[in-house]
């Protein structure tokens, strides 16, 4: 697999969170026909362009990479990856996506809503290439697959779990950047907590405000926010903050309290192994499945387009149960299972905004 257009990748602040990932192959400055999606060997070429934090965030981007890796292993796809740069503009994203498409990759997948304006522009220039856009439906087109999730539903279940696990009656939510997508996580989590324990207190903090997106990339910000919530009595903290969430997990675990991960099953992430015993559960999004599915659709000659939604009913979102400590909490699991059934059956409607 090639990792290309690697520019100032955001680092991880703690050695315990480090991930060894070496770039390989050549830089993708070569040109190619927009209709060419195969290498000389005949293999389909597919590419993902990472969101803030890049590969190694133990969360959102790593989930996307897992989907590409699965496509390589099972479909014989030749994968390419492109890293973001700190504080980049839409023009930078346009250049990155253009390079990937020109190199013959099909599909080209933008990981995160920040790619929406760039994909809208580049997709028009490469009409024979399928573009996957994760977490956004604002920009559409005949060759754009909008891969979106019901984050609020998974977060509701996290709220139920947090309320049941808390001994102090105070829990925390940390959002990376205060944007509508992360407000969905907050809304679902808070509703789940309050429906389970109306007397519970939810501490909410956002790390940065747009256009500052450091709240998705700097673990020290997440760590400081979690420490502040711990000082106020929180004993369960849920962070939806990308790489910054790793800092929140570190602080929460160090204090001997429960952390709830996001996007990937963070209990299984190698970079967080030192803290996994205190990762109660994680709100999972099948980002890896969405990446794999859009690649497979192109390979099968039936490219996905339009809104492709992943919800609780089809396990597109959910709660991980990898931590043995979680599986021993029978009352908690019963409450989560009941909530899941009621959401799927339409008895509970989960809010998408606080």
């Amino acid at each position: 697999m090639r990792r290309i257009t690697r520019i100032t990748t955001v680092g991880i602040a703690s050695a315990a969170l480090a991930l060894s990932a070496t770039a390989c192959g050549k830089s993708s400055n070569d040109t190619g026909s927009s209709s060419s999606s195969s290498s000389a060997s005949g293999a389909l070429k597919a590419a993902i362009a990472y969101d803030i934090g890049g590969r190694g965030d133990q969360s959102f981007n790593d989930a996307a990479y897992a989907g590409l890796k699965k496509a390589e292993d099972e479909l014989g796809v030749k994968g390419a990856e492109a890293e973001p740069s700190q504080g980049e503009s839409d023009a930078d994203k346009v250049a990155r996506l253009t390079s990937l498409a020109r190199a013959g990759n099909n599909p080209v997948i933008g990981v995160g809503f920040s790619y929406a304006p760039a994909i809208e522009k580049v997709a028009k220039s490469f009409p024979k290439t399928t573009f996957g856009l994760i977490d956004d439906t604002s920009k559409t087109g005949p060759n754009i697959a909008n891969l979106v999730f019901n984050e609020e539903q998974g977060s509701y279940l996290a709220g139920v779990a947090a309320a049941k696990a808390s001994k102090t009656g105070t829990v925390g939510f940390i959002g990376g950047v205060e944007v509508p997508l992360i407000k969905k996580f907050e809304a679902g989590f808070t509703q789940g907590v309050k429906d389970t324990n109306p007397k519970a207190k939810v501490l909410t903090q956002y790390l940065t405000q747009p256009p500052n997106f450091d709240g998705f990339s700097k673990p020290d910000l997440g760590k400081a926010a979690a420490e502040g919530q711990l000082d106020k009595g929180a004993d369960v903290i849920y962070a939806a903050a990308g790489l910054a969430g790793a800092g929140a997990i570190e602080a929460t675990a160090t204090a001997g309290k429960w952390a709830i991960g996001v996007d990937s099953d963070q209990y299984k992430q190698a970079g967080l192994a030192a803290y996994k015993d205190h990762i109660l559960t994680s709100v999972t999004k099948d980002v890896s499945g969405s990446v794999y599915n859009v690649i497979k659709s192109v390979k099968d000659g039936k490219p996905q387009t339009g809104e492709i939604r992943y919800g609780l009913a089809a396990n597109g979102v959910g709660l991980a149960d990898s931590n043995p400590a979680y599986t021993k909490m029978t009352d908690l699991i019963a409450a989560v299972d009941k909530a899941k059934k009621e959401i799927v059956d339409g008895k509970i409607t989960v809010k998408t905004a606080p």
Side-chain angles (χ1 to χ4, degrees):
M1 180 182 294
R2 298 173 298 150
R3 297 191 79 181
I4 55 184
T5 60
R6 184 176 180 86
I7 321 166
T8 319
T9 305
V10 179
I12 300 179
S14 169
L17 302 179
L19 180 71
S20 177
T22 305
C24 56
K26 63 179 182 177
S27 174
S28 182
N29 293 320
D30 53 318
T31 60
S33 168
S34 62
S35 63
S36 173
S37 60
S38 298
S39 65
S41 64
L44 182 75
K45 297 169 66 177
I48 53 177
Y50 290 120
D51 199 5
I52 298 166
R55 176 142 75 91
D57 67 351
Q58 315 293 330
S59 184
F60 186 49
N61 289 298
D62 282 1
Y65 167 72
L68 181 62
K69 183 66 166 60
K70 181 180 178 182
E72 285 190 312
D73 294 343
E74 298 185 7
L75 304 176
V77 168
K78 183 177 181 182
E81 306 165 72
E83 294 280 4
S85 59
Q86 187 73 18
E88 67 183 18
S89 66
D90 284 341
D92 295 320
K93 292 182 174 65
V94 167
R96 180 177 305 122
L97 296 174
T98 298
S99 177
L100 292 171
R102 187 174 290 142
N105 292 289
N106 184 17
V108 174
I109 302 167
V111 183
F113 63 85
S114 64
Y115 277 98
I119 281 183
E120 180 185 39
K121 182 174 183 178
V122 179
K124 293 175 181 178
S125 300
F126 296 86
K128 295 182 180 180
T129 299
T130 294
F131 289 83
L133 175 57
I134 299 177
D135 280 349
D136 189 273
T137 58
S138 68
K139 306 299 182 183
T140 60
N143 58 331
I144 298 175
N146 302 90
L147 312 174
V148 291
F149 304 83
N150 291 116
E151 294 92 353
E152 73 282 358
Q153 294 178 346
S155 295
Y156 183 99
L157 300 185
V160 173
K164 297 294 287 186
S166 176
K167 295 180 180 179
T168 65
T170 298
V171 302
F173 173 79
I174 297 173
V177 182
E178 192 167 2
V179 293
L181 174 66
I182 306 303
K183 300 291 275 188
K184 289 173 66 180
F185 288 87
E186 177 197 350
F189 179 71
T190 300
Q191 185 181 347
V193 170
K194 293 293 187 178
D195 283 356
T196 306
N197 179 7
K199 295 182 179 180
K201 183 177 182 180
V202 181
L203 305 175
T204 298
Q205 182 175 345
Y206 284 88
L207 303 179
T208 61
Q209 298 289 325
N212 181 358
F213 285 86
D214 286 352
F216 288 140
S217 64
K218 294 189 175 181
D220 61 316
L221 296 179
K223 182 177 181 180
E227 289 172 342
Q229 293 185 342
L230 291 163
D231 288 342
K232 294 177 181 178
D235 60 352
V236 184
I237 296 178
Y238 172 39
L243 182 59
I249 290 173
E250 178 183 0
T252 306
T254 300
K257 306 303 182 182
W258 287 120
I260 295 178
V262 75
D263 291 340
S264 298
D265 182 354
Q266 296 196 292
Y267 179 86
K268 294 182 176 180
Q269 293 294 321
L272 297 170
Y275 314 116
K276 70 177 186 178
D277 289 346
H278 290 280
I279 300 175
L280 177 65
T281 181
S282 296
V283 175
T284 57
K285 291 169 55 173
D286 195 14
V287 175
S288 61
S290 72
V291 169
Y292 176 85
N293 290 340
V294 75
I295 294 172
K296 187 176 187 299
S297 76
V298 174
K299 182 176 177 63
D300 292 345
K302 299 177 181 179
Q304 290 181 337
T305 59
E307 181 178 308
I308 313 295
R309 182 165 292 278
Y310 293 81
L312 192 59
N315 296 316
V317 296
L319 279 190
D321 59 1
S322 301
N323 191 334
Y326 176 88
T327 61
K328 294 177 181 177
M329 299 179 184
T330 54
D331 289 346
L332 182 155
I333 291 175
V336 168
D337 288 346
K338 181 176 181 290
K340 178 178 179 179
K341 186 176 188 304
E342 291 182 346
I343 292 171
V344 172
D345 291 346
K347 295 180 180 180
I348 294 176
T349 300
V350 185
K351 298 176 183 179
T352 56

